[in-house]
Amino acid sequence: MLQERITLLEDARIILGVTGSIAAYKAVDLASKLTQAGAQVDVIMTAAAQRFVTPLSFEAVTGRPVFTDMWQTASPDLPTHIAHIGLGEGADLLVIAPATAQTVARLAAGLADDLLAVTALAARCPLLVAPAMDGGMYAHPATRANLDTLRNRGAIVIEPEAGHLASGHMGTGRLPETPTLLGHIRRAMGRHGILAGRRVVVTAGGTREPLDPVRYLSNHSSGKQGYALAQAALDAGAETVLISTVSALPAPIGAVFVPVNTAEEMLEAVQAHCASADILIMAAAVADFRPARVAPHKIKKAASPKRESTLELLRNPDILMAVKEGRERTGWPRVVVGFAAETESLLENARAKLEEKGLDLIIANDITSPQAGFGADTNRVVILDRESEQQRPPLASKARVSEIILERAAAALRG
Ligand code: CTP
């Protein structure tokens, strides 16, 4: 499957600086994924980087020439004839991944001794640095001080990960994998988005109501739409909290992740995080009932020898009703968005929930449609508001649907 384009990165101009670390091979994958996402990626390689990977690898994945030479002049792909000025001009982001101790030191000192260093001085866009090196070198006070210098100048430093290093030792110094790097790039690119400075809380997944230590009651919610909403909120620049029952999906980089299981735990987390939230989006499929008793030990079938057995259930709290009450007192959250997953009378049921739960928007979701709802990567929704307006976006990826929902929520916040 083709990687999906990422709206935030479409036509973004990204300079990727690659330096001489064993992790340089990972930068080929990063360049490829950025290109597939829709970005225009110009790669600058240091001389040391070319000892690990050839420029041809980057040219093949980006479809663009790779820059290696400070003395290089005319290039039809650049706005000016001087490479380091032309590369920096109009760039949206300079990412240096992997960044060796040597390059971190050169950047901190403001040296201008190769094309990457000169471009970093000339560029006016944000700088993202992903150090990768031996654990001892990373921990050295000189490297720490150099990274602090870069941070103090506004650079974003992506912390390396702990694990196996090229030396055979264990330590902190590994370049994170592409999805993590991409997450940081999205965060940097989105920081002036339509929700910059706003707080968004999203819930995701089906709640799990325990019956005994090995069993729970739940539903088919995969959490995909909630995770996509959290990513879209981050892309729009929001401080984002993701309250989720799902742990199988990677949490979007930059989100505060709050794991929960039951409806009661979710209620508590929502109330704790909504006190100052601008937008709450309840994408979670909350179980309306829970087992009346949780058995301390595994329930044995011998305990119910008859063919039938009855499970007594108790009503769970309605989280959105509790939020409505709190909002009447405090005014927070400013905008509340609910979901209505229905198998019949979609719009009638959705509208009734919008009214009853005091929502600003409700996302009506016909879960009988094969390309929509639980588990699918796409969704077909109808967005209803208090003025009885209906918006029917076409069938689209859950990522795209999330952007449309966030745009509507942001408009409601402004209005
Ligand atoms: N919801 C909630 N608390 C519950 C149940 C649902 O906050 N105990 C939220 C869901 O997250 C969703 C909206 O309410 O945003 C509608 O959920 P849904 O399950 O479709 O509706 P219910 O209110 O449970 O009504 P019914 O089960 O009768 O359709």
Side-chain angles (χ1 to χ4, degrees):
M1 192 181 94
L2 269 182
Q3 191 203 312
E4 198 174 313
R5 292 175 82 81
I6 298 172
T7 309
L8 181 68
L9 299 180
E10 292 231 29
D11 302 321
R13 273 204 53 211
I14 295 179
I15 310 173
L16 175 61
V18 183
T19 73
S21 150
I22 182 68
Y25 76 93
K26 290 188 183 173
V28 179
D29 186 50
L30 177 62
S32 171
K33 295 297 186 318
L34 285 169
T35 306
Q36 290 173 49
Q40 178 186 307
V41 184
D42 281 316
V43 175
I44 303 177
M45 298 181 77
T46 62
Q50 293 170 68
R51 301 183 72 125
F52 290 94
V53 189
T54 67
L56 184 63
S57 303
F58 288 101
E59 278 173 11
V61 297
T62 63
R64 298 181 59 78
V66 166
F67 298 88
T68 54
D69 179 7
M70 178 150 72
W71 310 109
Q72 184 170 345
T73 53
S75 167
D77 295 303
L78 296 179
T80 73
H81 62 288
I82 301 170
H84 64 273
I85 306 292
L87 282 163
E89 207 160 277
D92 297 299
L93 190 66
L94 168 57
V95 183
I96 305 184
T100 56
Q102 162 80 355
T103 289
V104 168
R106 290 190 301 136
L107 293 171
L111 295 190
D113 56 349
D114 72 1
L115 181 61
L116 179 58
V118 189
T119 305
L121 282 178
R124 292 290 159 265
C125 58
L127 169 64
L128 207 76
V129 181
M133 62 195 72
D134 167 68
M137 291 168 72
Y138 180 66
H140 195 283
T143 307
R144 317 290 315 177
N146 287 333
L147 288 169
D148 283 344
T149 301
L150 296 183
R151 280 193 198 94
N152 291 338
R153 281 188 208 137
I156 301 161
V157 176
I158 303 174
E159 294 294 326
E161 292 179 352
H164 177 86
L165 299 170
S167 58
H169 298 144
M170 300 296 281
T172 299
R174 284 171 62 86
L175 184 70
E177 300 300 326
T178 302
T180 304
L181 296 173
L182 265 180
H184 286 284
I185 290 169
R186 291 174 84 150
R187 198 89 188 94
M189 290 288 294
R191 58 187 180 170
H192 300 301
I194 53 169
L195 290 173
R198 302 295 200 167
R199 284 171 55 84
V200 175
V201 177
V202 180
T203 64
T207 61
R208 296 172 178 189
E209 311 295 336
L211 180 56
D212 69 14
V214 293
R215 304 179 180 97
Y216 57 80
L217 298 187
S218 193
N219 54 63
H220 288 298
S221 170
S222 64
K224 285 181 185 172
Q225 185 66 71
Y227 275 62
L229 282 159
Q231 182 64 66
L234 289 161
D235 284 358
E239 266 180 57
T240 304
V241 177
L242 175 59
I243 300 171
S244 171
T245 63
V246 177
S247 50
L249 298 171
I253 298 288
V256 174
F257 185 75
V258 183
V260 294
N261 279 307
T262 64
E264 287 181 311
E265 287 170 16
M266 186 172 276
L267 171 65
E268 201 177 308
V270 165
Q271 285 183 321
H273 288 279
C274 272
S276 59
D278 293 289
I279 299 173
L280 166 68
I281 307 182
M282 279 293 299
V286 185
D288 290 320
F289 293 91
R290 66 177 181 278
R293 277 168 295 280
V294 182
H297 296 288
K298 186 181 174 195
I299 300 170
K300 307 299 278 182
K301 55 182 174 294
S304 313
K306 286 184 287 180
R307 249 173 74 86
E308 284 173 15
S309 176
T310 305
L311 185 61
E312 203 182 322
L313 299 175
L314 274 183
R315 268 293 278 276
N316 263 332
D318 189 303
I319 299 174
L320 279 175
M321 292 304 283
V323 167
K324 181 185 174 189
E325 267 177 54
R327 195 184 181 197
E328 279 161 7
R329 273 183 284 112
T330 65
W332 299 91
R334 299 283 184 232
V335 170
V336 180
V337 182
F339 270 71
E342 307 289 345
T343 56
E344 56 184 2
S345 309
L346 179 65
L347 296 184
E348 294 75 2
N349 282 327
R351 182 152 305 287
K353 286 174 190 175
L354 176 95
E355 296 297 337
E356 188 197 353
K357 302 188 189 216
L359 307 176
D360 299 281
L361 296 171
I362 193 153
I363 316 303
N365 205 183
D366 177 359
I367 50 173
T368 59
S369 155
Q371 293 152 307
F374 294 153
D377 290 317
T378 51
N379 212 351
R380 188 193 303 280
V381 298
V382 184
I383 305 176
L384 305 178
D385 65 15
R386 280 181 162 164
E387 279 71 52
S388 299
E389 293 290 328
Q390 287 179 22
Q391 184 182 353
R392 292 175 179 270
L395 179 76
S397 67
K398 285 187 170 169
R400 180 65 200 130
V401 168
S402 299
E403 289 165 2
I404 296 168
I405 294 170
L406 261 303
E407 279 159 24
R408 285 298 302 272
L413 194 58
R414 287 194 300 272

